[in-house]
Amino acid sequence: MLKNVNCLKMNRIYLDNAATTPLDPQVLEAMLPYLQHQFGNPSSIYSYGRETRLGIENARKSVARLLNAHPAEIFFTSGGTESSNTAILGAVRDLGCTHIITSPIEHHATLHTVEYLDKRDEATVSYVSILPNGHVDLQHLGQLLQDAAPAKTLVTLMHANNEIGNITDLHAVGALCKQFQAIFHSDTVQTVGHLPFDLRHTPVHFITGSAHKFHGPKGAGLLYINENVQIHPFIHGGGQERNMRAGTENVYGIVGFAKALELATEQYETDSNYIRSLKLYLAAQLQQELPGVTFNGDSFGNSNYTVLNVSFPKSEKSEMLLMNLDMNGICASGGSACTSGAQQGSHVIRAFNNNPNQVAVRFSFSRHNTKEEMDLLVEKLKLLI
Ligand code: PLP
């Protein structure tokens, strides 16, 4: 009954896995009972309710084990956006943070939340500089933390950037935060399910996750809240998620989150090596076949294996590149999902590469992609540039 994902691809080549990924059939299988006969409200005390409650609590235990956290530190949400909103607003309203340090290359889930707090005078905001290779300038971060003292500060910096793939060292940022007693939130949406985590030994107060980025369902997210901090809910209502997140739980989403993370962890070595080899192969082919191609970010250094951000020389043809790729059955994006299909330019690329004569395209990969697809892409690009 469950078709292989490859059969569903038809002739299209999907290279926008940082935007979202297809649901793994094994994840769907784990979710199905909760979409069918196990439909009870987890808050109901009779057997139907107890069954779905068990599904949620088993998922929580499994996620906690896979990330090396306590089950009490794991909260299920509707996705990365809600998780980051909860953490950032909680840090300001409940933990006394009056200053926020972030970066200009964060996802809008962070940037717009921080801007909202700034506009309402609930916190002041400073932005850490971005180095030419797209990394956060840690020296500047230290300076900003020092300048902000004695104000209580929230540092919100993402783990892997969704557009260029650059990875920020959570331990280095966490150590600086510790030195200045700052709260540290990291948007880890692009790394949960892609990189191993050991939260008991990682100096963060909040991290976030989103199941649809690693072959789980959309609308199922994770918020990790370290046991040493306590915030109030972002969504008020019933007492679900131990009074942290009101609303009847998305049981099948939560079960799907846990199953997708379990599979991702099991397959990590194989999948990451394979996907990295595709990224490196594509980069080498592009360099060989297309003169003038450059890569944005630290693509071959401290970078996520799932993302390759490529700049093509600007021309009348290349300005229409995303649309032309789409017409040729190739799905890629100019940046985050909100800018897919439109060449609006990306706030991330602009933060460190202001060359107006280039067109940036993000290719992002999953285990379903193949070397043949990379070859086809390069052949198409040769015609479209
Ligand atoms: N943060 C990053 C880095 C992302 O890539 C995304 C996905 O678009 C989000 C946050 C938002 O996650 P969600 O779609 O689960 O709200």
Side-chain angles (χ1 to χ4, degrees):
M1 188 180 81
L2 301 173
K3 286 197 181 123
N4 186 300
V5 174
N6 283 318
C7 305
L8 301 173
K9 291 203 310 192
M10 295 178 287
N11 292 323
R12 285 179 290 180
I13 299 179
Y14 184 72
L15 291 170
D16 203 15
N17 291 279
T20 197
T21 53
L23 192 70
D24 188 295
Q26 289 184 72
V27 175
L28 177 59
E29 211 147 9
M31 292 167 67
L32 272 177
Y34 298 94
L35 284 152
Q36 295 171 312
H37 46 274
Q38 292 194 311
F39 62 86
N41 186 320
S43 297
S44 300
I45 55 166
Y46 44 79
S47 59
Y48 278 108
R50 290 198 304 273
E51 281 165 19
T52 46
R53 164 72 42 220
L54 189 65
I56 293 174
E57 294 316 320
N58 283 341
R60 194 184 317 280
K61 279 189 209 147
S62 170
V63 169
R65 182 177 47 78
L66 295 166
L67 301 176
N68 201 19
H70 298 293
E73 296 173 313
I74 302 297
F75 298 89
F76 292 112
T77 67
S78 67
T81 302
E82 184 192 321
S83 296
S84 283
N85 270 263
T86 307
I88 294 168
L89 289 161
V92 168
R93 292 177 181 169
D94 307 320
L95 303 179
C97 294
T98 54
H99 186 68
I100 301 174
I101 299 174
T102 189
S103 89
I105 64 168
E106 300 299 304
H107 189 273
H108 286 139
T110 295
L111 283 179
H112 289 170
T113 308
V114 163
E115 283 164 17
Y116 166 81
L117 289 166
D118 192 9
K119 268 200 202 113
R120 290 174 55 96
D121 286 331
E122 292 191 53
T124 53
V125 181
S126 51
Y127 295 86
V128 64
S129 305
I130 300 299
L131 298 167
N133 64 2
H135 280 301
V136 163
D137 182 345
L138 291 181
Q139 222 173 328
H140 187 219
L141 174 62
Q143 189 60 51
L144 289 176
L145 278 161
Q146 193 157 12
D147 293 348
K152 181 90 178 161
T153 297
L154 164 70
V155 172
T156 170
L157 290 173
M158 70 205 307
H159 192 196
N161 185 276
N162 51 307
E163 297 194 28
I164 55 172
N166 276 29
I167 294 178
T168 295
D169 182 348
L170 295 183
H171 288 271
V173 174
L176 276 171
C177 289
K178 218 172 202 170
Q179 199 183 325
F180 292 92
Q181 284 107 47
I183 297 293
F184 181 23
H185 158 254
S186 185
D187 171 349
T188 53
V189 162
Q190 292 290 337
T191 49
V192 166
H194 294 291
L195 293 178
F197 274 82
D198 178 2
L199 288 174
R200 214 158 284 170
H201 302 105
T202 308
V204 286
H205 296 100
F206 302 99
I207 71 151
T208 61
S210 183
H212 73 103
K213 306 291 187 184
F214 52 97
H215 305 285
K218 291 169 184 58
L222 160 84
L223 174 61
Y224 159 86
I225 306 180
N226 183 275
E227 60 186 347
N228 296 318
V229 290
Q230 271 193 333
I231 58 167
H232 294 299
F234 172 57
I235 294 175
H236 298 270
Q240 291 91 350
E241 290 297 284
R242 303 181 312 289
N243 284 319
M244 257 311 295
R245 202 273 180 178
T248 301
E249 296 90 336
N250 171 9
V251 183
Y252 39 84
I254 290 169
V255 168
F257 187 109
K259 183 68 185 177
L261 189 61
E262 182 192 315
L263 293 173
T265 308
E266 268 170 32
Q267 294 162 208
Y268 167 67
E269 289 293 336
T270 315
D271 285 354
S272 60
N273 284 331
Y274 173 70
I275 297 168
R276 184 177 293 106
S277 75
L278 285 183
K279 167 177 168 169
L280 295 178
Y281 178 73
L282 176 61
Q285 291 304 107
L286 288 173
Q287 268 173 327
Q288 195 178 304
E289 303 289 334
L290 284 150
V293 157
T294 55
F295 302 103
N296 293 306
D298 190 17
S299 313
F300 311 109
N302 209 355
S303 175
N304 211 350
Y305 55 88
T306 50
V307 174
L308 183 67
N309 195 303
V310 186
S311 269
F312 299 95
K314 201 176 231 174
S315 67
E316 249 174 58
K317 263 169 115 184
S318 71
E319 278 193 287
M320 306 296 286
L321 185 56
L322 282 181
M323 206 182 75
N324 285 332
L325 282 172
D326 181 29
M327 282 165 63
N328 281 275
I330 296 171
C331 310
S333 78
S336 68
C338 2
T339 54
S340 295
Q343 293 276 25
Q344 297 168 354
S346 139
H347 70 285
V348 174
I349 306 293
R350 265 200 312 273
F352 64 94
N353 174 2
N354 247 334
N355 188 339
N357 299 316
Q358 292 184 327
V359 172
V361 178
R362 173 186 74 180
F363 299 105
S364 51
F365 318 98
S366 82
R367 60 173 175 263
H368 299 300
N369 291 120
T370 63
K371 193 162 163 272
E372 290 68 38
E373 288 180 330
M374 302 304 125
D375 289 331
L376 270 167
L377 168 66
V378 174
E379 284 314 306
K380 287 284 181 209
L381 283 169
K382 278 158 68 176
L383 302 173
L384 297 175
I385 293 297

